[in-house]
Amino acid sequence: MAGPISVERVWAELGEIVDPEIPVVSLVELGVIREVDVREDRVRVALRPTFAGCPALHVMRAQIGERLRALGAAEVEVEIVLDPPWSTDDIAPEARPKLAAFGLAPAPSPVIVLEEILTAPRACPRCGSVDTVLRNDFGPTPCRMIHYCRACLQPFEAMKPV
Amino acid sequence: MRLELRSLLADALLGLADDEMILAHRDSEWTGHAPILEEDIAFANIALDEMGHAGIWYRLVAELRGEDPDSYPDRLVFHRAPDEFRCIRMVELPKGDWAFTIVRQFLFDSAEVVRLQALQQSHHAPLAKAAAKIAVEERYHDRHLHAWVRRLGLGTEESHRRMQTALDQLWPDTVQLFEPPSHESELTAAGLFPAAEPMAAEWAEGAAATLADADLKIQRGTPGMNGGREKHTDHLELLLAEMQSVARLEPQASW
């Protein structure tokens, strides 16, 4: 299987790998793939962490290596890059409805003044009501926070705007 | 960058990395024990964030020392003796009560906000970029800790008393938050690392204002224990014995 691989083929493959903790969006849609560089059968992928402490980063790294080697890459280097810092604005527009359908309210975009964004109501991903309140800046993963919907009387998760 | 400067910068960053790592461990001790579920979640995340930030600093140390950035951080964290750590003493202290945890995290994170701002000007580009990344995440710690300092400082007689007690205990150790790294003048002259004194002044003013708003009083006078980042409390040894125990069972294991 070994042989030259096209950059497009690598991007397409990365578009098939889903976030281990949000399995409805791909790494490409999540905006964590910064760069792809192909030299013959050697591939270098620049991967940006959403949050520095995100435990899923290691899983993403391993999966990228595995999938690209299966594609025929002799060598896969996944480099962790921090510049520019990942932002929820980097999530692809087409991924936003998928997040909401998964029960995870997408972050308002663009993130300019954090305090304004956090005090504005977020729509409940279940019933669409904006009669909601921010309950906790922190949630079940580093990239999520917890809101409460007064219409459904249920908490819901939302992407933490950064 | 000259070899000598690389080594000095690595040493300075090792201090920041160790601070974050040890504090992350202390924060993680609240997992399953925090006073309310929301805070259990919050402090588990804060611990994870700080560990992630430690990871970023350790990788920079590895690169500056010509070591492998993937494996060197684990070696530093799990296979050094207590006297080789370079953390400040404040982060070593046992987690105490909730007020102690909040005051310590507030003092540490508010200092970090100031330092991260200054580090973004570093001429060592990877350091400036790392600081920018961490600063984005720290905004959430800042919000959280300011809210809790106010809530407990202005809460009940008991919450105020506990906060004041914690502040009295921790304040002397804040002198270490901005202790200049070794050979500071060479690092600042090369534009690699910001000077401690202006950062200390900026932090002290901001922290004093937040504490005053929460009706908490800074008792100045008693200076902290003497000695730099080489000198530790006995608590560090116990903490490391626990934190390193699994990794040391089988040093060659791959995780």
Side-chain angles (χ1 to χ4, degrees):
Chain A
M1 254 299 285
I5 307 166
S6 72
V7 174
E8 294 73 26
R9 188 72 192 84
V10 173
W11 275 103
E13 190 66 20
L14 296 172
E16 297 290 317
I17 305 177
V18 293
D19 179 315
E21 288 175 336
I22 314 172
V24 292
V25 298
S26 77
L27 300 188
V28 175
E29 289 174 316
L30 192 62
V32 295
I33 308 293
R34 184 90 186 95
E35 221 170 61
V36 171
D37 191 31
V38 182
R39 302 268 159 88
E40 302 263 316
D41 57 357
R42 295 202 312 271
V43 185
R44 193 188 69 94
V45 176
L47 177 69
R48 275 192 305 185
T50 52
F51 278 72
C54 178
L57 186 69
H58 306 286
V59 182
M60 290 179 190
R61 233 183 152 182
Q63 283 185 352
I64 292 171
E66 222 169 89
R67 296 281 287 261
L68 296 182
R69 273 190 294 273
L71 209 63
E75 218 177 279
V76 181
E77 188 200 340
V78 184
E79 192 195 343
I80 306 292
V81 296
L82 303 172
D83 178 48
W86 178 82
S87 160
T88 36
D89 293 343
D90 298 326
I91 298 175
E94 62 270 24
R96 297 169 66 86
K98 295 186 201 171
L99 290 172
F102 182 63
L104 194 49
S109 183
V111 180
I112 297 168
V113 183
L114 187 64
E115 293 301 321
E116 278 174 20
I117 282 185
L118 294 178
T119 46
R122 301 277 283 272
C124 169
R126 265 185 304 270
C127 72
S129 168
V130 288
D131 187 12
T132 64
V133 60
L134 173 58
R135 268 292 160 80
N136 194 339
D137 276 8
F138 300 93
T141 68
C143 61
R144 302 185 205 184
M145 56 200 334
I146 301 172
H147 292 248
Y148 185 78
C149 175
R150 293 199 186 99
C152 324
L153 305 178
Q154 293 289 329
F156 66 90
E157 294 172 18
M159 293 295 286
K160 196 190 273 186
V162 286
Chain B
M1 200 191 309
R2 288 205 335 263
L3 200 62
E4 188 206 345
L5 280 175
R6 290 182 79 88
S7 157
L8 289 175
L9 184 58
D11 291 348
L13 293 179
L14 182 62
L16 303 188
D18 284 346
D19 287 350
E20 304 249 32
M21 189 65 219
I22 301 303
L23 184 58
H25 187 88
R26 285 300 185 211
D27 289 341
S28 78
E29 291 176 336
W30 283 107
T31 307
H33 302 278
I36 52 172
L37 177 62
E38 297 293 303
E39 282 313 299
D40 214 299
I41 295 169
F43 260 73
N45 272 282
I46 289 173
L48 199 54
D49 286 342
E50 305 295 27
M51 206 200 305
H53 302 165
I56 289 180
W57 299 136
Y58 284 127
R59 286 179 78 90
L60 287 177
V61 172
E63 285 159 12
L64 286 163
R65 289 182 175 173
E67 300 278 355
D68 169 37
D70 282 333
S71 59
Y72 192 62
D74 274 9
R75 260 164 58 207
L76 288 175
V77 171
F78 296 119
H79 299 284
R80 268 184 305 162
D83 64 355
E84 294 172 289
F85 273 75
R86 292 294 174 264
C87 50
I88 57 174
R89 289 177 291 274
M90 178 195 287
V91 297
E92 301 168 6
L93 302 174
K95 73 182 194 300
D97 64 7
W98 188 245
F100 184 87
T101 287
I102 292 297
V103 173
R104 168 165 60 186
Q105 196 73 31
F106 163 71
L107 295 170
F108 184 85
D109 278 341
S110 54
E112 223 191 338
V113 168
V114 173
R115 186 182 296 108
L116 289 169
Q117 191 68 36
L119 283 171
Q120 289 178 54
Q121 312 304 317
S122 171
H123 292 177
H124 184 49
L127 171 53
K129 289 170 183 175
K133 168 65 180 165
I134 296 174
V136 168
E137 299 183 8
E138 282 291 334
R139 292 200 292 186
Y140 282 96
H141 294 201
D142 198 43
R143 271 170 54 86
H144 199 68
L145 272 303
H146 272 84
W148 269 102
V149 166
R150 264 186 85 78
R151 187 174 295 138
L152 294 181
L154 305 176
T156 63
E157 183 275 323
E158 185 188 0
S159 73
H160 180 269
R161 172 170 48 78
R162 285 176 182 254
M163 288 291 277
Q164 188 62 58
T165 304
L167 182 60
D168 294 346
Q169 190 189 339
L170 283 159
W171 189 260
D173 282 336
T174 59
V175 69
Q176 274 200 305
L177 284 169
F178 291 103
E179 232 167 25
S182 151
H183 300 266
E184 186 193 45
S185 56
E186 290 169 50
L187 287 170
T188 54
L192 295 172
F193 205 79
E197 214 182 287
M199 291 193 290
E202 186 189 339
W203 167 77
E205 195 185 329
T210 303
L211 293 167
D213 279 349
D215 198 25
L216 296 167
K217 287 168 192 64
I218 296 169
Q219 318 276 353
R220 295 176 200 276
T222 38
M225 199 163 108
N226 289 323
R229 285 172 174 267
E230 291 79 24
K231 200 164 166 188
H232 299 287
T233 65
D234 293 339
H235 303 294
L236 180 64
E237 194 172 337
L238 292 169
L239 181 151
L240 292 178
E242 189 192 5
M243 191 177 86
Q244 299 176 333
S245 60
V246 176
R248 286 184 176 223
L249 282 177
E250 187 51 69
Q252 305 304 323
S254 85
W255 299 88

